[in-house]
Amino acid sequence: MQHEYQYFPITVPGKGAGGQTGTWRFVRPVVNLNKCIGCRACWMFCPEATIHVIDGKVEVDYDYCKGCGICANVCPVKAILMEGEDQ
Amino acid sequence: MRKVMSANEAVANAVKLARVGVVGIYPITPQTTVIEKLAEMKAEGEIDADIVRVESEHAAMGVTLGAGAAGVRSFTATGSQGLLYMHEMVWWASGSRVPLVMMVGTRAVGAPWNIWNENTDFMSERDSGWIMAFASNPQEAFDLVLQGFRISEDERVFLPMMVGMDGFILTHMKTNVYLPSQEEVDAFLPPRRQPYVIDPEAPIGMGNIFPPVEYMKLRHSIHSAIQSAESVIKEIGKDYEKISPFNNYRTLNVKYRMEDADYALVLMGAWAGDAMEAIDELREKGINIGMLRIRYLRPWAESEIKELENVKGILVMDRATSLGRGGPLYLEVKATVRNQVKGVVTGLGGVLLNKEDFKRIILKFLKEAKEERSDGVEWYYPAEVEKVELRNPKDVE
Amino acid sequence: MLNDTSLMSGTSACPGCPENIAMRMLSMALGKDVALVVIAGCSSVTQGLAPKNAYGYASLNIAFAAGPPAASGMWRAYKRRNRDVTVVVWAGDGGTSDIGFASLSGAAERNEDFIYLCVDNEAYMNTGGHRSGSTPHGALTPTTPEGKSGNKKEIPFIMIDHNIPYVATASVGYPHDFIDKVREAKTIRGFKYVHVLTPDPYGWLFDPSRTAEVAKLAVQTCYWPLFKWKDGRIEVSPESLHCLKKETRRPLKDFLSIQGRFKKIDEKGIEDLERYIDELWERISLNLKR
Ligand SMILES: Cc1ncc(C[n+]2csc(CCOP(=O)(O)OP(=O)(O)O)c2C)c(N)n1
Ligand code: SF4
Ligand code: SF4
Ligand code: SF4
C-alpha cells in the first residue's frame, strides 16, 4: 500500500492459521496400507483435511492432524489404529 | 441545473448522479422521503440501482456493506432509533474499511417517543471510525453526499462516510439546489476504488481474528486515515469547484464574520441560519461576534478550531447531549483550545429557537465572558417555550 | 471424484469439529467461485489468526445478525459486475434460530439469490455451549444445568412456510446426501436454505472420534429427518424413509445414551422427546399426502 498507515483487516488462506496443530495430538492415526481398500471414508470425514489419498495410498499430514480419531472410527475395514504419541 | 427541492430530495439526486449500484433501505422519520424518492426514481427507470427493502437498519447496513465489499458503490440512510439499531454494523463497516455513504436524518431518541430534531443520535457515533459531516442547507446536503463517495473511496481514506442533517428542519427544507450534470459528476467522481474486493478471483478473508497488537494497529490505521482525510477533503472540495459554483469547501468548517471577531459562537447544522441573523443584528449594535460552523466532526480539523484561541470568549451550542456531562461539541472544543469555553445545551427533542433566543443566549454569554466566568454548561429553554406549538406527528409526515 | 478446497489444515477448531467437516463437504459440492459470509460463531474463530485464514474461499466475516443482509448485497454486486459467484451464508444454529432469525426471514421473504447454510450443533458452542433455540428438550447446557425444557425450534419447517424455492436438511453423517443437496441448491435461483446437523463432541458430550457416528445415529433414530422441499412438496431422503413408519425406527435411546448432555433426562423427558419425533414425522407425512 502506498500510504504506510493504511492497514486492512484482510487475511489470506493458508495452512496453520490455528498454529502447528499437530502438537495438540495425544494419539496418532496409523494407517495399515495392507488392509486399506482405498474407500476414502477417512478422507471424507477428516475435520482437519489432513488425510490425503495419493495414488490410492492414504497419507496423514502429522504436522496438523489433531488426533481426533474420526478416521479410525469411520474406516470400514479398521485399517487405521490410534496409537499413543508416547509410544 | 437549479431546482427547488428538499434536502432529502437533493440527497436522492446525489445518489443518482453518483451512479450508486445498491441501496439498502428501511424507513424512519425523517429520512423516509430520501428512500421514497429513490424507490420512485427506480420505478421510473431514472436509476438502475438495486433497491433492497430490508427488514431493519442492522440489515440495511448489512446490505450496503456486503455490496460495497463485493465491489459496488452503495448507500443507505437512517436516523435516531434506526441509527442506534444499526450501531453494531456502523462499527463493522468502518472496521471493514469498506467505502460507502450513509445519510443520517437526525432525530431525538427514546424513551419517550419523540420524532423531532436533535443531533444526539449522530453524535453517538463519533467514536466509530467514520468520516462524519453535517450539512446545514439542502445544497450542502447534496454536495456533501456527492463528495462523500469520492472522499470515502480515496485511497488515503478508505472509510465509510456519514452525512448528518437536522431532521425536518433541514431534511424537509426546500430551497434552490444546483445540480451538476451527469457528465460533470462522472468527471469528478472516478469509478469505485476500495482497499480490497471479496471475490473468488482472489480468495481473501475479511475480519477473522486479529491478535492484540495487530488489532490495535488496525485501529491506529483508522485513526490515521481519519486524520489524513482532512487534506483529502480540502483537495476534493477544491476540485468540486470544477463542477459547482460553490467555492466554500476549501476548509472543513465554515467561518462567518470571524475576521475581526472578539467572540465566537460554535455550532453545527441548520440553525446556523438563525444564528447568523442574530449575529448580524448584534454586530449592528457593535458587538464583535462571529461564528464557526462545524461541518466535519470527523476529521476534527484541529488547526481550524485552534484559531479560536485568538478570540476573547467561546460559546458552543449543542443540539445534543452527553448526559451528565454536556454537549459533545462543547467537549470537543474544550479539548482543543486553551480558552474558557461556555457550553449551551438546547434544542433537544425538537425545541425550536428563534433569532431572539440566539441573541439572548449570546448576550448572557458576553456578560459572563466579561466577568471571566463563561465556563461550564447551561441548559437553555426558549423564553417562549410554552408558545412553541408542537405539531401533530401525523401532520409532519 | 470429489475434491475439497475450502479448508486449510491447521485450523483453530477443536479436534473432531463437525463444522469443519461440513465446510469441507461444502466445497466438495460447490467447487470454486464461491463467496462466504461467515457470521459470529465457532467458525469465526476456527478460521484461525491473521495474517492467515483457514478457509480457502473468499470470505466476509460479519456481525451475528448481518449474514443474510450482507449476502443480499453481495450477490447483487456480483450480478452487477457480471461475476458468476455462488454466495453462501455460513451460520450456526444460534445465529440462525435466535439472533439472526429476523434477517434470515427478511432475506427469504425477498427471495434473495444465495444459499443459507445452517450448521446446527444445537447450542451456542462458541461461547461455551449455551442453549439456543435449536437445543433439544432435556439437553444439559451451561445455561440449562437442569436440562432444557421445550423443544428445538423447527427452522426448516419455518423456512418452508416462507415459500422459498428450496429447503433441505442434511447430516454430516451422510456426506453424499448433503453434497447432492447443496449442489442442487446451487442450480436454483432465489433463496435456498440448507440445514445440516453437525453433532458436536464438546456440547453433546461424546468422544470426538464419534462425530460421524453420532451424525448417523441422529438420522437412524429419526431424531433428525433428512428431506428436501422443492416445488411445493417434501421429498424424504432414502436415509430417512424408514422413519415414516414408527415400527421401523431405531430406538431413540441409541442416540441419547451415547451423549452426556442427556444424562439427566428421565423417562418422562424421553417420552416428551419421542412424542416430538412422532409429531415431526406426522407433519412430514401430512405434507407427503398433500
Ligand atoms: C451481538 C452479539 N451477541 C453475542 C455475541 C457472542 N457470541 C459469539 S458466537 C456466539 C454463539 C454462536 O452460536 P451458534 O450460532 O450456535 O454457532 P456455533 O458457535 O455453535 O457455531 C455468541 C453468543 C456476539 N458475537 N454478538
Ligand atoms: S485423527 Fe482426526 S485429524 Fe487426524 S487424520 Fe484422523 S480424522 Fe484427521
Ligand atoms: S477409510 Fe480405511 S479403507 Fe478407507 S481409505 Fe481410509 S484407511 Fe483406507
Ligand atoms: S465447539 Fe464444536 S463446532 Fe465449535 S470448534 Fe469445537 S468442535 Fe467445532
Side-chain angles (χ1 to χ4, degrees):
Chain A
M1 183 41 67
Q2 225 171 325
H3 308 282
E4 89 288 345
Y5 59 85
Q6 290 290 39
Y7 179 36
F8 307 114
I10 53 178
T11 52
V12 286
K15 282 189 182 178
Q20 199 74 14
T21 53
T23 60
W24 299 10
R25 210 168 46 229
F26 295 108
V27 283
R28 66 159 56 202
V30 177
V31 188
N32 181 343
L33 292 174
N34 294 326
K35 274 190 164 181
C36 169
I37 54 168
C39 70
R40 286 163 61 96
C42 52
W43 168 83
M44 173 64 84
F45 288 102
C46 172
E48 230 20 73
T50 43
I51 294 222
H52 303 286
V53 187
I54 300 160
D55 297 332
K57 263 180 66 180
V58 173
E59 277 176 26
V60 178
D61 178 352
Y62 291 111
D63 287 345
Y64 297 113
C65 161
K66 292 172 180 165
C68 67
I70 290 181
C71 50
N73 187 270
V74 298
C75 176
V77 295
K78 299 288 160 233
I80 303 179
L81 283 179
M82 301 304 291
E83 292 180 0
E85 274 295 338
D86 47 359
Q87 277 176 3
Chain B
M1 181 181 70
R2 270 177 210 279
K3 220 182 132 194
V4 173
M5 61 178 79
S6 70
N8 276 357
E9 220 180 315
V11 169
N13 274 287
V15 170
K16 172 187 168 187
L17 286 165
R19 299 188 185 275
V20 167
V22 176
V23 184
I25 63 172
Y26 191 85
I28 184 163
T29 304
Q31 148 267 38
T32 41
T33 49
V34 178
I35 63 171
E36 287 166 10
K37 184 73 195 171
L38 286 167
E40 181 191 312
M41 286 172 164
K42 170 76 178 178
E44 287 175 5
E46 280 180 52
I47 54 173
D48 93 318
D50 281 48
I51 309 278
V52 193
R53 290 96 172 160
V54 292
E55 70 292 336
S56 77
E57 289 84 357
H58 197 278
M61 185 48 70
V63 165
T64 309
L65 178 54
V72 166
R73 191 171 284 156
S74 56
F75 173 84
T76 187
T78 189
S80 184
Q81 308 301 129
L83 186 60
L84 301 201
Y85 199 78
M86 189 193 276
H87 186 59
E88 182 184 33
M89 293 307 295
V90 170
W91 283 77
W92 207 272
S94 54
S96 305
R97 306 298 303 267
V98 172
L100 52 90
V101 175
M102 169 161 73
M103 170 270 190
V104 176
T106 62
R107 164 180 147 181
V109 294
W113 289 117
N114 175 307
I115 61 155
W116 293 283
N117 182 38
E118 176 180 328
N119 306 150
T120 307
D121 51 356
F122 180 83
M123 287 297 191
S124 71
E125 298 298 349
R126 73 193 156 157
D127 302 330
S128 64
W130 283 56
I131 304 299
M132 297 175 74
F134 206 89
S136 86
N137 56 60
Q139 182 68 52
E140 208 174 65
F142 173 86
D143 296 341
L144 289 174
V145 168
L146 187 55
Q147 291 174 20
F149 288 103
R150 182 152 154 201
I151 295 165
S152 169
E153 292 171 12
D154 191 287
E155 63 180 10
R156 292 161 290 179
V157 181
F158 280 155
L159 282 171
M161 169 150 158
M162 66 175 86
V163 181
M165 33 202 92
D166 291 287
F168 296 119
I169 295 170
L170 177 54
T171 56
H172 290 54
M173 178 207 280
K174 286 193 178 185
T175 58
N176 241 318
V177 176
Y178 175 84
L179 305 179
S181 69
Q182 185 65 64
E183 298 74 58
E184 286 172 317
V185 172
D186 290 345
F188 169 75
L189 183 62
R192 181 174 174 81
R193 287 161 305 174
Q194 58 189 101
Y196 59 88
V197 179
I198 299 294
D199 190 303
E201 222 166 43
I204 54 160
M206 194 300 292
N208 54 304
I209 295 182
F210 275 65
V213 173
E214 297 308 309
Y215 178 89
M216 187 159 159
K217 283 186 192 160
L218 286 170
R219 285 314 193 233
H220 204 154
S221 173
I222 296 177
H223 173 81
S224 303
I226 292 177
Q227 293 194 330
S228 306
E230 187 175 335
S231 58
V232 177
I233 290 166
K234 288 182 195 164
E235 182 187 304
I236 290 172
K238 192 154 177 284
D239 204 45
Y240 193 63
E241 290 165 19
K242 289 184 193 147
I243 66 162
S244 161
F246 303 104
N247 63 354
N248 65 337
Y249 293 103
R250 294 185 178 204
T251 54
L252 271 69
N253 304 307
V254 183
K255 285 191 256 187
Y256 182 70
R257 303 189 78 162
M258 281 299 291
E259 317 77 48
D260 59 339
D262 293 326
Y263 297 92
L265 169 63
V266 182
L267 46 66
M268 173 180 106
W271 61 1
D274 302 295
M276 287 190 292
E277 283 180 29
I279 287 172
D280 288 347
E281 289 185 16
L282 292 172
R283 282 258 177 182
E284 275 167 28
K285 292 192 182 124
I287 295 168
N288 270 358
I289 183 156
M291 182 182 81
L292 177 67
R293 174 164 66 81
I294 301 297
R295 190 161 56 192
Y296 277 89
L297 185 67
R298 294 288 180 274
W300 182 251
E302 202 144 329
S303 59
E304 292 181 17
I305 319 288
K306 265 218 175 291
E307 284 179 26
L308 292 171
E309 288 185 343
N310 301 328
V311 300
K312 292 186 199 147
I314 303 170
L315 168 66
V316 183
M317 289 179 63
D318 270 283
R319 211 166 202 156
T321 59
S322 167
L323 289 168
R325 194 69 183 90
L329 217 48
Y330 158 77
L331 295 169
E332 293 276 1
V333 172
K334 213 169 151 58
T336 313
V337 299
R338 275 180 271 117
N339 320 28
Q340 274 201 351
V341 181
K342 172 170 180 176
V344 168
V345 169
T346 185
L348 303 188
V351 166
L352 290 174
L353 272 69
N354 58 27
K355 186 178 65 187
E356 297 307 317
D357 292 305
F358 279 93
K359 290 202 311 213
R360 209 170 289 137
I361 291 168
I362 292 168
L363 289 171
K364 184 167 180 225
F365 153 73
L366 290 173
K367 187 161 173 276
E368 290 164 355
K370 283 187 183 122
E371 296 161 10
E372 287 190 11
R373 51 181 187 87
S374 61
D375 218 358
V377 178
E378 179 188 329
W379 283 59
Y380 176 84
Y381 293 85
E384 299 185 41
V385 74
E386 56 288 350
K387 287 193 202 151
V388 174
E389 267 181 65
L390 289 183
R391 288 162 295 181
N392 182 336
K394 287 207 177 92
D395 299 340
V396 175
E397 253 309 76
Chain C
M1 172 96 82
L2 290 171
N3 264 312
D4 68 307
T5 50
S6 60
L7 196 88
M8 309 280 152
S9 303
T11 72
S12 301
C14 325
C17 177
E19 292 190 8
N20 270 7
I21 299 178
M23 177 54 74
R24 288 189 58 231
M25 291 172 182
L26 180 79
S27 71
M28 293 175 201
L30 295 180
K32 291 197 172 84
D33 294 329
V34 173
L36 285 181
V37 180
V38 185
I39 70 165
C42 276
S43 297
S44 11
V45 176
T46 60
Q47 285 163 70
L49 291 186
K52 290 183 190 167
N53 189 310
Y55 287 169
Y57 280 146
S59 45
L60 181 78
N61 283 278
I62 204 136
F64 234 157
S72 305
M74 284 169 81
W75 81 263
R76 288 164 188 275
Y78 294 131
K79 185 155 172 259
R80 298 186 75 85
R81 292 175 49 224
N82 293 316
R83 297 277 298 125
D84 187 12
V85 179
T86 305
V87 178
V88 179
V89 174
W90 181 267
D93 52 284
T96 300
S97 60
D98 301 336
I99 189 166
F101 185 71
S103 63
L104 165 63
S105 176
E109 184 262 335
R110 297 190 302 274
N111 200 24
E112 302 280 357
D113 190 8
F114 61 83
I115 300 175
Y116 186 101
L117 198 98
C118 170
V119 281
D120 186 0
N121 53 22
E122 303 195 323
Y124 290 132
M125 283 315 298
N126 185 42
T127 39
H130 310 107
R131 65 84 87 187
S132 79
S134 197
T135 302
H137 181 61
L140 305 177
T141 75
T143 45
T144 55
E146 73 293 6
K148 181 186 167 184
S149 116
N151 287 321
K152 186 177 171 70
K153 237 193 227 186
E154 288 169 344
I155 303 293
F157 290 118
I158 299 171
M159 295 319 293
I160 287 175
D161 287 342
H162 280 70
N163 266 312
I164 49 178
Y166 193 76
V167 176
T169 60
S171 157
V172 285
Y174 293 97
H176 293 284
D177 174 70
F178 176 35
I179 291 166
D180 285 349
K181 284 169 175 166
V182 174
R183 276 194 182 152
E184 183 167 29
K186 186 185 164 165
T187 64
I188 295 167
R189 296 291 307 272
F191 198 93
K192 288 82 61 176
Y193 180 81
V194 181
H195 191 129
V196 59
L197 191 74
T198 48
D200 190 306
Y202 308 92
W204 300 21
L205 306 176
F206 59 80
D207 188 89
S209 65
R210 305 180 83 168
T211 302
E213 190 186 340
V214 176
K216 285 197 174 87
L217 273 170
V219 174
Q220 289 164 3
T221 59
C222 303
Y223 168 81
W224 183 244
L226 298 189
F227 63 81
K228 68 182 176 194
W229 188 85
K230 214 179 109 180
D231 304 325
R233 334 181 8 118
I234 282 183
E235 187 185 319
V236 177
S237 309
E239 292 81 353
S240 283
L241 279 172
H242 68 286
C243 299
L244 288 167
K245 282 206 194 107
K246 203 169 173 177
E247 311 81 73
T248 43
R249 291 179 201 159
R250 190 167 169 179
L252 181 64
K253 279 183 183 162
D254 290 357
F255 174 65
L256 302 184
S257 59
I258 197 172
Q259 307 167 51
R261 65 173 171 163
F262 289 112
K263 68 170 178 261
K264 282 199 192 163
I265 200 167
D266 54 10
E267 283 307 314
K268 159 99 174 41
I270 295 177
E271 277 167 31
D272 289 345
L273 268 179
E274 278 168 344
R275 191 166 345 99
Y276 161 79
I277 291 167
D278 288 347
E279 283 167 12
L280 180 78
W281 284 100
E282 242 163 68
R283 243 170 121 170
I284 294 172
S285 308
L286 272 177
N287 178 286
L288 290 177
K289 286 190 198 114
R290 237 188 6 211

